[in-house]
Amino acid sequence: MDDLENAILISFESGPVEPSLKSQAVSYCQQAKESPDVFRICIQKLWFCKLVQVQFWCLQTLQDVLKVNYGSMSSEERGFVRSSVFSMACLEGVDGNESVVRVVEGPVFVKNKLAQVLVTLIYFEYPLVWSSVFVDFMGHLSKGGVVIDMFCRVLNGLDDELISLDYPRSPEEIAVAARVKDAMRQQCVPQIARAWYDIVLLYRNSDPDLCATVLDCMRRFVSWIDINLVANEAFVPLLFELILSEGLADQVRGAAAGCVLATVAKRMEPHSKLPLLKNLQISRVFGLVSEDVDSELVSEVSALVTGYAVEVLECHKRLNSEETKAVSMDLLNEVLPSVFYVMRNCEVDSTFSIVQFLMGYVSTLKGLPALKEKQLLHITQILEVIRIQICYDPMYRNNLDSLDKIGLEEEDRMSEFRKDLFVLLRTVGRVAPEVTQLFIRNALASAVESSSERNVEEVEAALSLLYSLGESMTEEAMKSGSGCLSELIPMLLTTKFPGHSHRLVALVYLENITRYMKFIQEHSQYIPNVLGAFLDERGLHHQNVHVSRRAYYLFMRVVKLLKSKLVPYIDKILQNLQDTLSQLTSMNFASREHSGTEDGSHIFEAIGLIIGLEDVPAEKQSDYLSLLLTPLCQQIENGLMEAKVASSENFPAKIAKIQFAIVAINALSKGFSERLVTASRPRIGHMFKQTLDMLLRLLIEFPKVEPLRSKVISLIHRMVETLGPSVLPYLPRALEQLLADSEPKEMVGFLVLLNQLICKFSTSLSCILEEVYPVVAERIYGLIPKDGKSSPSPSRSEAITEDTRELIELQRTFYTFLHVMATHDLSSVFLTPKCMPHLEEMMPLLLNTCCTHKDITVRKACVQIFIRLIEDWCPKPNTEEKLPGFQDYMINTFATNCCFFSVLDKSFDFNDANTQGLLSEIIKAQKVMYEKYGNTFLMHFMSGVFPSAHCPQDLAEQYCQKLQGNDTGGLKLCYQSLIKNLRLQPNGSHVFR
């Protein structure tokens, strides 16, 4: 053993080797690789060294040398490598020479590497240099299995490394592949096909491994060779004979099935493909799919059956003549029962999409006037496939019930997996509604009666089918209970389903009731059944907390739909909910594992929706509300006292207790209309006002507890809608407290509340705003950028901090606040003595925002503010200005910078829809200024603004005419054209003044 062989062995050693020694060995091998004669060394060792590590290294080195240095090698060197490697592959010159190593008899990884070296040579040399490689190789196949095996490895390597489109290829590789395939088609493909046939015939019984190898090789080539070389009277009978021969090894039979599948899947015109599919008489193999489902043969035959069905369906879609349609439909009808069997019982090939195929088949039935008996049977089988596919695996039953990490992952996976299957179900439901509904009815009945171990999963699947079907039903069909629905819904409501204690079954059961409420609205005799389902252990009292929490929300949705129809049942509902409400108002908030303080709020909303109806007698309504508000207010009072003395560790739990009560009151009040609490039943309004008064104390006691503050603000929002104007006396104290020491984030919530108040009460809020606005203005003008730019943010390369994001949000909300004030007749507030000093900050801010803000919608809103200010503050003729100097400011500053130079800037994109909206407002501003200021405004534009931009006189006069007319659309087009003309002129850069 020489040094190189030693170095190779050490470099391949995976056991304990000194790092320094291994490093030296790798370095020595690399030096050898860089030798100009390394290919001769490698050939020499391949002939005479029996060490497989050395053989592999030499073959890998040869491949690397060819790939990198082929262009710089002499023809003699290339010829030496070519003849040597080919001789090794074909066992040339080794007969009787015991000292020569037969590489082709080595381990698989060495043989594969030898094949790759040959493929590399073919890549560079075939057909221009080495045109006879395949023909020469076939001359040696008579030497037996070893050479045949190597020949197949070379062909397979050619497919893997060059021809197959399953891997990404470079343009150069695609061109070489085309060159190789064209040459092979002309020169040797027929001979290769004949060799495949002869070898399979010869070795089918004696060497099944070799036979399977040859068939697999053939399968790869079918896609690009002449189909008649395999789809002929010799090959097809042989392939089916192999598939159907019970005495043969499964690997041979499966490989033959793979060849037939390749033939079936070959890309062809449909008018040529259909006769081929028909002549195959594929029905001969249908019986094999029902054998051992875990066997390799059944897997291959299943892939053949489904692949065949896909091709027949494609032909049916693409062929238009009645004759071909009939032939393809007959073939489909023949193969579909086997396809359905495969889908139900076998592992489906990954390349076959069950949903895609079935969707394609169902779409062929859409245009038919009526479905035949066989097609209706197929529809039922499709529904059965869907039912089986959507069933959960029983092994995850406990995980899904407790919803642990594994259960959550499985539920997410199945949710995604089911999406397409449910789309298919709804498509089937539209094509054959009666069959679909009958199937679901039978599935439900079967699941109820079944005592199998899969009972939970089968009930859940049947209920899920019913739920999904509802998505495709019209409102009218649901109300009338068309088809089997009039039987299905009563069955749903009156049946005690097995496995109802399981989370999945309980949830989908309640979801179904909610989905089909349109039917129950029209058939009110089932209302007691609905209430029973929600109020007993199937819903709100379910043992699984995930179910009971979801039931709160779904019950609220049911109540919204039934409303007045539930009035006779109020006492029963409240009685059944008494323990639930008691639990919710006394739970330990420190140990709660589920969602936040919103837990249970939906049940209060549901109760509020029922008891807030005018159909409820006034006396009873007051009693019901008192019954609910009293413990909630008590919970707040107790929580307030406990929080005051609580340690820092216990404080969050005490606050959470208060928060929940506020959320519950908020939810409860949603059922009471403003008219009821202020006009017809003022006693109810008084109760809510007392509650609000108590809650405002929280802002005094805990002004800096943000979660509590946000809940109180939310309740004020709600009370504004519930109490209407009667809430006004409570606002000054509330707003004063909310303003105290507000952070930017808190100011956003405060401004949103003010916006709601302004929209609701308009000028009735002017006195309050006169006091509040100065504080708001002073606070906000000290925080946001004075230039109105949209980003008080760092450069793009830097991340936007949370503080910066809060300031951006505050800025946007403040502009909305100013806009709401201006557009609700409250601009006079800005001119009051307390507020007027802040105009010096407001006017430049609005102007800069109009001109430069990145958000076009914000710019548009600010222009609209100026329009309202002009309309509100413009003096009538011969009267004193409301705001001295305002007219001059609008003409000289706003009109010049916003209405002209900001539009002239090339960043003002006329092709953008939002920018066009901004332009419309700017045009409106000009019209309003002309109407209010007359020629003073017009002369400023004509003699000052336009000349400064070197505007041609004719364009200026056109603008003047349009401005004085009544055609606003025409003015906009004229102004846009004027600006575009000015942009083409060398005006220099205009700076906003």
Side-chain angles (χ1 to χ4, degrees), residues 83-286:
S83 61
S84 301
V85 172
F86 185 73
S87 296
M88 293 175 199
C90 298
L91 294 177
E92 278 187 336
V94 299
D95 292 337
N97 191 344
E98 296 297 331
S99 62
V100 173
V101 174
R102 298 185 177 211
V103 177
V104 290
E105 294 178 350
V108 170
F109 66 90
V110 171
K111 290 189 282 189
N112 284 340
K113 186 53 67 176
L114 175 59
Q116 287 175 11
V117 175
L118 278 164
V119 168
T120 306
L121 284 165
I122 292 169
Y123 181 97
F124 288 114
E125 299 189 345
Y126 182 78
L128 299 177
V129 177
W130 193 11
S131 60
S132 63
V133 54
F134 298 107
V135 175
D136 292 345
F137 217 134
M138 283 187 285
H140 294 276
L141 297 182
S142 59
K143 293 179 179 178
V146 173
V147 178
I148 294 170
D149 175 78
M150 180 50 62
F151 183 57
C152 290
R153 289 183 192 277
V154 171
L155 292 179
N156 291 347
L158 194 63
D159 183 64
D160 288 337
E161 302 294 328
L162 188 60
I163 294 174
S164 174
L165 296 177
D166 292 341
Y167 311 100
R169 305 292 186 198
S170 67
E172 180 189 348
E173 288 172 330
I174 292 170
V176 173
R179 184 192 77 208
V180 169
K181 287 192 292 185
D182 288 344
M184 289 183 72
R185 287 190 192 104
Q186 289 179 8
Q187 184 198 45
C188 59
V189 166
Q191 295 94 309
I192 293 174
R194 180 67 200 189
W196 287 330
Y197 179 83
D198 292 338
I199 294 166
V200 171
L201 205 57
L202 181 62
Y203 289 93
R204 56 190 291 184
N205 294 313
S206 61
D207 194 340
D209 288 340
L210 182 64
C211 192
T213 298
V214 172
L215 288 169
D216 181 63
C217 178
M218 170 182 158
R219 174 189 60 78
R220 294 164 173 256
F221 278 67
V222 170
S223 64
W224 60 271
I225 65 175
D226 182 359
I227 192 62
N228 293 311
L229 294 173
V230 287
N232 53 44
E233 294 179 358
F235 241 127
V236 170
L238 174 62
L239 292 172
F240 276 96
E241 186 183 338
L242 294 172
I243 297 170
L244 297 168
S245 295
E246 293 184 11
L248 276 180
D250 275 4
Q251 66 191 106
V252 178
R253 299 171 72 187
C259 288
V260 178
L261 175 57
T263 305
V264 163
K266 184 172 173 66
R267 292 174 63 182
M268 298 168 62
E269 288 299 320
H271 59 80
S272 301
K273 173 69 76 68
L274 189 61
L276 169 65
L277 297 174
K278 184 180 179 183
N279 292 335
L280 286 175
Q281 299 175 33
I282 202 82
S283 59
R284 290 177 279 178
V285 304
F286 291 168

Side-chain angles (χ1 to χ4, degrees), residues 52 54 118 122 191 251 265 297 306 377 443 496 555 561 838:
V52 292
V54 174
L118 278 164
I122 292 169
Q191 295 94 309
Q251 66 191 106
L297 173 62
T306 54
L377 177 62
K496 289 279 187 176
F555 183 62
L561 290 169
H838 297 288

